Amino acid sequence: MALDQVRVNRLWEAVCLTSHELVWELDPAGVIRFINDASTDVLGVAPSGIVGRSVFSLIHPDDVATARALFEDCSMRRTGWQQVKLRAVRAVGLVRWVESGGVAHVGSDNDLLGFTATAR
């Protein structure tokens, strides 16, 4: 069954508003352009405190090099990632393990537009 735009919008709304997973969008530089309200529970920060920040600012310092290498590889190959486990730092300094998967978005001229991902 093909998805029309109305159905896509409804699905997106349901995922973003009801999911306990993080749903987020990154620009090609790794800056968070969207994150759903689950960030408050998972990271201890509302979306307004996260949008505009580098995704690497949310990752535990011991995992940043691994995350950067993965991001650069995915950016270069124009591909996403699956089942990546890293530690995230919550607002109060507590560490939380998350597992993430994401997809790359590529324009018609093969330019990387960014990534959309989830983390649980």
Side-chain angles (χ1 to χ4, degrees):
M1 175 189 319
L3 291 177
D4 60 33
Q5 191 59 50
V6 171
R7 182 171 280 149
V8 169
N9 291 348
R10 287 178 184 159
L11 290 168
W12 178 247
E13 181 180 33
V15 168
C16 287
L17 295 178
T18 66
S19 179
H20 298 285
E21 292 188 356
L22 294 174
V23 178
W24 38 282
E25 182 181 55
L26 302 175
D27 71 10
V31 175
I32 299 166
R33 295 299 176 200
F34 170 84
I35 193 163
N36 67 334
D37 288 339
S39 68
T40 303
D41 291 332
V42 177
L43 301 172
V45 182
S48 62
I50 295 177
V51 171
R53 291 173 53 183
S54 168
V55 68
F56 303 109
S57 71
L58 304 176
I59 297 173
H60 189 279
D62 292 345
D63 293 341
V64 169
T66 299
R68 282 190 187 279
L70 174 68
F71 186 82
E72 289 173 13
D73 181 58
C74 289
S75 296
M76 181 184 66
R77 292 185 306 116
R78 309 291 197 260
T79 188
W81 60 93
Q82 298 280 333
Q83 299 176 330
V84 173
K85 294 179 183 174
L86 297 169
R87 290 166 287 184
V89 179
R90 288 183 47 93
V92 293
L94 299 174
V95 174
R96 184 169 202 174
W97 282 96
V98 296
E99 181 179 323
S100 178
V103 295
H105 300 287
V106 180
S108 59
D109 56 359
N110 203 34
D111 281 349
L112 179 65
L113 303 174
F115 298 92
T116 303
T118 61
R120 58 209 142 276

